Amino acid sequence: MRRVLLLLSALLLPLFVALPAQAAVQRVQFTSGSAYLIVEFLDDDLVHFELADGTGPGTGSPIFTTAQVAKKDYTGPTSFTQNGNTLTTASMKVDVAPATLCVTVSDPARQLYQACPRNLSQAWKGLTITKGSMQNAYGLGEQFFTGGSADGDWVGRDRTPGGNYGNAMAYDTDNGPVGNAQIPVLFAVGAANLNYGLFLDQVYKQEWNLTGDPWTVDTWGDQVRWYTMTGPDLTDLRKDYLELTGRPPVPPKKAFGLWVSEYGYDNWAEIDNRLSALRTDKFPVDGFVLDLNWFGGVTAGSDSTRMGTLSWDTANFPNPTAKISSLASNDGVGLMTIEESYIGRNNPEHADLASRGYLVRAGCSSCSAAYLTTNDWWGRGGMIDWTQDAAGDYWHTLKRQPLIDQGVLGHWLDLGEPEMYDSTDWTSGVLPGKHAHADYHNLYNLKWAESIARGYASGTKRPFMLARSGAGGMQRYGVAMWSADIGSKLTALAQQQNAQLHMSMSGIDYYGSDIGGFRREMLDSDLSELYTQWFADGSWFEVPIRPHTENLCNCAQTAPDKIGNVVSNLANLRQRYELAPYYYSLAHRAYRYGEPVVPPLVYYYQNDPNVREMGHEKLVGRDLLVGVVAGKGERSRTMYLPAGGWYDYATGEKLTSTGQWFNDRPLWVNGVFRLPAFARAGAIIPKMFVDDKTMNVVGKRTDASTRDELIARVYADPASSGFTLYEDDGTSTGYQSGSVRTTQLSQQLSGSTATVTVAASSGTYTGAAASRQNVVELVADTQASAVTLNGAALTQYPTKAAFDAASSGWYNAGGNLVVAKSAALAVTSAKTFAFTLGQAPVSVTFRCDNGTTVAGQSVYAVGSVPQLGNWSVASAVKLSPTSYPTWTGTITKLPPNTAVEWKCIKRQEANYPDTADQWQPGPNTTVTTPATGPGGTTTATF
């Protein structure tokens, strides 16, 4: 008996004695009955689990990872101890219950969750995950719900597969046919920064039920494998997830502009006509997206369909090389061409791929190519086996590379769920020894995108893809995703914003929609209003900005100069182009650091309970907050602002929030429909010069001039702040090897002096300007009395016209804005602008006599400057009946030294109407504002 006890003690000793710290990946295996669990620590805050029924493989090899995972060279935690069944690193603790193989994960002081096996011996298996102290959850890819709400996290919801195998385009009456893409990463959040990330690295369809406690997740597969990330906040967790699955490369700069699309353009002439109209109406545009027509279209039910030829229909698109070159060089416009994975059976491409074994097979490794005949709107034939790298490489060289060589800039990957398939098919596969349809379905689009990225890797051009489906890791291949054939409904527009929230938290920074809706037959409201709202939302939140609809009848419009409120469309598009340097810098930060481009508010304000389920407001980067609009007759909306100082982006109005709602924010500002947007105090927003000569996002202009000045909109704040401007050639992968220029911008308000510094730039790239002007648009509470540049006084100009005509100087612009600029200076030198603030803004008292009104009506002043609404009745300024029927009001922050024309109007008080009940008769009244301070009273009468 004594010998047995000694032997037993020797066997158990490693379980109860702390092991020394080791900087290496640590693996521990536990067994219980016929099941096993492997715990693999990859970093202090990252652990990988494998749970299965059967004999464990031991700890000698890494846990298997699917193609969703990019990083496989973790060096292990900096410290690791095992004390019995408790495993601890510097940032997490895992307790294993040896009898049940339940794991309890802590951070390490606070418990995060307990996960237990669920039906482990069955085919449909998974985990129970205690909700515990978690309150909200985000991520899990793309799924639309009915009800038309932008809000909602996952707690209380089911994350259900889109189809029998997972990824699918799914239809409902509120949204139309929309995407359901499985990206199985969940971020759970509790109080006081209690949080974790969980990535279920499975290829099979999954169902997550977060309606109770515990939560459950079920899937197919022999093993259940998942990662857990711990960290101080959501920003850290999401960065860890992107380190694991890959950060997104920087898209071509043109991807941040307008790409006009429809199904489909019949020939070059139709594209030329659309482009000519856009240019005539002064719209910038960066590209056109070509649907099936470019290769000759498809023939339903036919083996002889053109699907899969991926060769130009030269009858309608002759001389494509010359045309693409002309569009690029003369018009500044690029092209994106659609492609699918399907090949008509009578096409020579089908015979070629079949002979090489590159098509999906009909049930076995030696079977002939699967013949797809159901849902045959595209024709009939086979399907490329993207799970074979050789197939993807061959197809890229054969079909896609010639398009790239011709100058095609982007690739539209349609039907990639895949939409049509043979459920009994056979592929090379993405799992060892697994070849059935279920074994690859959800990674099909991922492998397709990977093949394109691999094809680009041998050159220097950046890949730019638009995909309808995807998986974890999709972002690392240069893919933007869109929400499929969405219906033209306001409910769909609202739900798009909720889907975007979760896609951002699933690592997808570039996510968009068919702006205006693809399925116009679902329209149940005013199309002009729908399009105007959707285009405004898309101009803030989507990359690329891409209106699209079915137009086989040639009776529909998608271009923003032909549909919706054209004035508003133009203003919102130009605003997006102005902000291109900001978005592009965010793209660089996404690539370098895993920071989101359009995050939900909870990402940066996770302990603010008001934003936990909020999708109807979004951030762009960290510094801009924008409200979504998606509803009939919307004229104003209530906005929530987290605690701190904020500035209205359109008007410069300063708001100080304690974490509160601001009611009745107008949506029509100076005659333009705009989403309510706010800049955080201390924000520095780099901008691009945009006017009616701007052709595209890379600066091409109709007069061939160059406007490359560095413009920074700066929101003065006593707390010092900074922003890094990133610039590169916009097209090549050179930025990945150092061909990038960074410029640090900083600000601080100290007393009455606001200092803005444009630091000496670091780095360069081909085509970078050696010198340029520097423009600072300072938003502050007062006017300035002086501005210096590197200690030397700049010349003050009385008006914008005089300032524009000068090479350097400054002026008070009104509306909380002071603008200063330098002459062209070397980018390698620092420029410090110092603004002396405190000068009284210009104010004028406006008086309207004989303003008799009825109930619900008031008297307003409207006029020729933004502070008076730019003649927009909706933005007119309400006066007070100080001595009825005389109405007065003092309007401040008017532009100095300016002749202002204005009139009195009578208008309904409610809902910001566009029309006045009565205008002051006769000519406009004129008042000239002083340089500073009060400008007296100007009077008009009814």
Side-chain angles (χ1 to χ4, degrees):
M1 174 64 75
R2 183 172 178 273
R3 291 178 60 193
V4 172
L5 289 174
L6 287 173
L7 178 61
L8 184 62
S9 298
L11 291 172
L12 293 178
L13 189 62
L15 298 178
F16 295 99
V17 177
L19 299 178
Q22 300 181 49
V25 171
Q26 304 291 326
R27 298 185 195 95
V28 182
Q29 179 171 301
F30 299 85
T31 60
S32 176
S34 63
Y36 73 89
L37 169 75
I38 298 175
V39 185
E40 178 183 60
F41 288 91
L42 301 172
D43 204 343
D44 286 332
D45 57 1
L46 180 65
V47 61
H48 194 189
F49 298 98
E50 177 174 304
L51 178 65
D53 192 49
T55 303
T59 59
S61 299
I63 294 176
F64 176 81
T65 60
T66 74
Q68 298 178 105
V69 173
K71 184 173 174 63
K72 302 177 184 179
D73 59 351
Y74 288 94
T75 56
T78 58
S79 64
F80 174 76
T81 57
Q82 178 177 355
N83 191 349
N85 300 311
T86 299
L87 315 173
T88 306
T89 72
S91 300
M92 68 165 59
K93 180 175 69 173
V94 175
D95 291 294
V96 179
T100 62
L101 300 184
C102 292
V103 297
T104 301
V105 181
S106 304
D107 70 353
R110 300 178 295 177
Q111 180 173 320
L112 299 173
Y113 73 85
Q114 183 185 74
C116 293
R118 174 176 162 88
N119 303 321
L120 202 58
S121 63
Q122 299 179 23
W124 184 245
K125 61 174 64 72
L127 302 170
T128 63
I129 303 168
T130 56
K131 178 184 177 186
S133 299
M134 298 300 157
Q135 300 162 336
N136 302 93
Y138 313 94
L140 296 183
E142 175 192 42
Q143 181 175 344
F144 280 67
F145 290 87
T146 57
S149 175
D151 296 331
D153 74 316
W154 279 110
V155 174
R157 286 177 165 177
D158 277 326
R159 173 64 174 99
T160 55
N164 292 335
Y165 296 94
N167 288 354
M169 184 170 69
Y171 175 86
D172 69 71
T173 55
D174 273 359
N175 302 297
V178 287
N180 184 311
Q182 181 174 287
I183 302 177
V185 60
L186 177 80
F187 294 100
V189 176
N193 287 85
L194 188 71
N195 51 220
Y196 66 87
L198 190 154
F199 175 55
L200 191 67
D201 187 25
Q202 303 287 118
V203 307
Y204 300 99
K205 76 171 182 179
Q206 301 171 16
E207 182 167 357
W208 297 69
N209 185 326
L210 280 71
T211 61
D213 188 3
W215 300 336
T216 63
V217 58
D218 294 295
T219 186
W220 305 106
D222 297 330
Q223 303 86 12
V224 180
R225 300 186 180 102
W226 76 100
Y227 294 83
T228 296
M229 296 148 273
T230 64
D233 50 35
L234 280 175
T235 61
D236 180 79
L237 295 176
R238 187 181 184 275
K239 289 177 182 179
D240 285 348
Y241 168 70
L242 287 175
E243 181 181 33
L244 177 66
T245 61
R247 293 185 289 269
V250 180
K253 193 168 186 180
K254 289 179 71 62
F256 292 86
L258 171 66
W259 287 71
V260 188
S261 180
E262 67 171 51
Y263 175 36
Y265 298 116
D266 297 320
N267 46 50
W268 290 130
E270 190 173 352
I271 293 173
D272 290 342
N273 290 337
R274 296 287 192 279
L275 178 58
S276 176
L278 284 162
R279 295 298 190 211
T280 298
D281 293 328
K282 313 300 183 185
F283 278 74
V285 58
D286 273 86
F288 281 81
V289 184
L290 305 189
D291 214 313
L292 305 173
N293 312 60
W294 79 269
F295 57 73
V298 296
T299 305
S302 172
D303 290 352
S304 299
T305 179
R306 291 277 298 169
M307 179 68 87
T309 57
L310 294 192
S311 298
W312 289 97
D313 171 14
T314 54
N316 290 297
F317 297 91
N319 304 314
T321 302
K323 183 62 177 179
I324 293 169
S325 176
S326 174
L327 286 169
S329 59
N330 298 328
D331 301 300
V333 166
L335 295 180
M336 172 183 279
T337 52
I338 198 169
E339 59 177 270
E340 291 80 10
S341 300
Y342 303 105
I343 316 290
R345 188 161 70 167
N346 285 347
N347 293 329
E349 290 85 356
H350 186 281
D352 179 24
L353 292 176
S355 69
R356 297 172 186 272
Y358 291 162
L359 295 178
V360 172
R361 296 177 183 270
C364 68
S365 61
S366 59
C367 293
S368 60
Y371 180 44
L372 303 180
T373 60
T374 59
N375 193 18
D376 59 356
W377 62 266
W378 59 273
R380 296 183 170 191
M383 178 169 128
I384 298 174
D385 182 4
W386 299 117
T387 72
Q388 294 188 64
D389 288 353
D393 294 343
Y394 177 74
W395 193 247
H396 185 88
T397 301
L398 180 69
K399 291 294 185 180
R400 201 177 295 114
Q401 190 61 50
L403 297 173
I404 297 168
D405 294 342
Q406 287 177 324
V408 167
L409 297 184
H411 312 283
W412 181 9
L413 315 186
D414 197 16
L415 317 180
E417 292 82 11
E419 181 175 307
M420 283 73 66
Y421 52 85
D422 177 352
S423 61
T424 64
D425 64 17
W426 186 98
T427 67
S428 181
V430 296
L431 299 174
K434 302 285 188 178
H435 306 284
H437 186 83
D439 300 322
Y440 76 89
H441 179 96
N442 294 303
L443 268 58
Y444 188 72
N445 214 147
L446 178 74
K447 292 296 291 182
W448 185 1
E450 178 191 329
S451 75
I452 298 175
R454 196 168 56 244
Y456 270 84
S458 61
T460 60
K461 291 182 179 179
R462 300 179 197 178
F464 174 32
M465 291 170 254
L466 185 63
R468 202 174 80 177
S469 194
M474 195 74 173
Q475 69 280 349
R476 71 178 178 265
Y477 294 127
V479 176
M481 292 181 64
W482 98 100
S483 55
D485 296 352
I486 194 167
S488 296
K489 299 187 71 169
L490 290 166
T491 50
L493 173 57
Q495 185 57 220
Q496 170 80 23
Q497 310 313 318
N498 184 252
Q500 187 277 331
L501 180 165
H502 292 292
M503 288 293 269
S504 174
M505 292 306 298
S506 302
I508 304 300
D509 285 307
Y510 310 112
Y511 179 69
S513 63
D514 293 344
I515 290 175
F518 183 75
R519 291 296 177 192
R520 291 273 177 92
E521 71 274 12
M522 297 184 68
L523 183 71
D524 62 355
S525 64
D526 180 70
L527 177 59
S528 179
E529 178 181 59
L530 172 83
Y531 185 96
T532 301
Q533 293 184 10
W534 209 319
F535 193 81
D537 287 326
S539 293
W540 272 109
F541 308 132
E542 300 189 8
V543 177
I545 309 165
R546 189 186 58 90
H548 183 63
T549 198
E550 181 179 351
N551 191 28
L552 296 175
C553 61
N554 285 324
C555 61
Q557 298 288 351
T558 63
D561 63 327
K562 299 298 183 186
I563 185 172
N565 186 283
V566 174
V567 172
S568 298
N569 294 342
L570 179 59
N572 286 310
L573 185 62
R574 285 184 176 174
Q575 178 177 264
R576 167 61 172 265
Y577 274 70
E578 285 179 349
L579 290 169
Y582 178 65
Y583 281 85
Y584 199 61
S585 295
L586 297 179
H588 271 273
R589 297 195 68 83
Y591 164 71
R592 291 188 175 205
Y593 309 115
E595 295 177 4
V597 177
V598 185
L601 270 67
V602 70
Y603 183 78
Y604 285 116
Y605 300 96
Q606 76 179 65
N607 291 319
D608 185 338
N610 293 290
V611 306
R612 283 288 185 89
E613 297 185 38
M614 185 179 286
H616 70 265
E617 297 180 17
K618 299 182 185 298
L619 295 169
V620 180
R622 181 158 197 167
D623 291 326
L624 293 177
L625 183 156
V626 187
V628 171
V629 178
K632 293 180 181 178
E634 297 284 348
R635 304 290 297 180
S636 66
R637 63 153 291 173
T638 298
M639 289 293 295
Y640 178 80
L641 298 179
W646 297 88
Y647 288 86
D648 187 302
Y649 189 75
T651 67
E653 175 191 4
K654 185 177 182 180
L655 300 172
T656 300
S657 177
T658 58
Q660 68 194 78
W661 295 90
F662 292 83
N663 297 327
D664 205 29
R665 303 301 299 182
L667 301 180
W668 289 85
V669 179
N670 298 334
V672 172
F673 176 83
R674 291 192 184 276
L675 303 189
F678 299 86
R680 195 164 60 100
I684 301 173
I685 311 295
K687 295 171 59 180
M688 166 184 172
F689 180 83
V690 175
D691 64 4
D692 61 5
K693 297 181 176 61
T694 302
M695 297 177 70
N696 63 18
V697 78
V698 297
K700 188 174 181 64
R701 297 175 56 76
T702 56
D703 62 357
S705 63
T706 299
R707 296 299 301 260
D708 61 357
E709 57 263 54
L710 186 159
I711 305 173
R713 173 72 64 91
V714 179
Y715 294 86
D717 192 64
S720 61
S721 58
F723 186 87
T724 302
L725 171 67
Y726 292 85
E727 301 168 284
D728 59 30
D729 62 21
T731 60
S732 80
T733 55
Y735 72 92
Q736 297 178 356
S737 55
S739 293
V740 60
R741 170 184 286 167
T742 58
T743 306
Q744 185 68 27
L745 311 172
S746 60
Q747 73 80 38
Q748 185 168 24
L749 176 63
S750 179
S752 62
T753 301
T755 302
V756 179
T757 298
V758 179
S761 296
S762 176
T764 191
Y765 58 90
T766 302
S771 63
R772 60 185 169 191
Q773 285 188 299
N774 301 269
V775 181
V776 174
E777 301 175 348
L778 182 73
V779 182
D781 293 337
T782 71
Q783 292 188 170
S785 58
V787 180
T788 63
L789 172 60
N790 291 340
L794 288 174
T795 301
Q796 180 181 4
Y797 292 94
T799 64
K800 181 180 186 302
F803 170 81
D804 287 345
S807 61
S808 65
W810 71 279
Y811 80 110
N812 287 307
N816 279 351
L817 186 65
V818 184
V819 184
K821 66 181 175 183
S822 73
L825 298 173
V827 299
T828 52
S829 65
K831 304 94 185 168
T832 297
F833 293 82
F835 297 77
T836 302
L837 302 174
Q839 186 181 89
V842 171
S843 62
V844 172
T845 298
F846 290 79
R847 171 175 165 170
C848 294
D849 292 336
N850 299 324
T852 57
T853 56
V854 298
Q857 187 184 63
S858 287
V859 171
Y860 296 74
V862 65
S864 59
V865 293
Q867 293 77 10
L868 287 170
N870 275 344
W871 291 115
S872 168
V873 171
S875 298
V877 179
K878 185 179 179 181
L879 305 181
S880 299
T882 49
S883 182
Y884 187 84
T886 294
W887 300 65
T888 62
T890 299
I891 298 175
T892 63
K893 300 177 180 175
L894 292 163
N897 307 302
T898 301
V900 176
E901 294 188 20
W902 71 283
K903 275 193 169 184
C904 305
I905 61 170
K906 297 176 185 178
R907 198 200 82 182
Q908 294 298 306
E909 297 167 352
N911 214 26
Y912 299 97
D914 283 326
T915 57
D917 299 330
Q918 183 182 347
W919 285 82
Q920 161 199 328
N924 300 336
T925 305
T926 300
V927 59
T928 299
T929 59
T932 182
T937 299
T938 176
T939 302
T941 186
F942 286 102

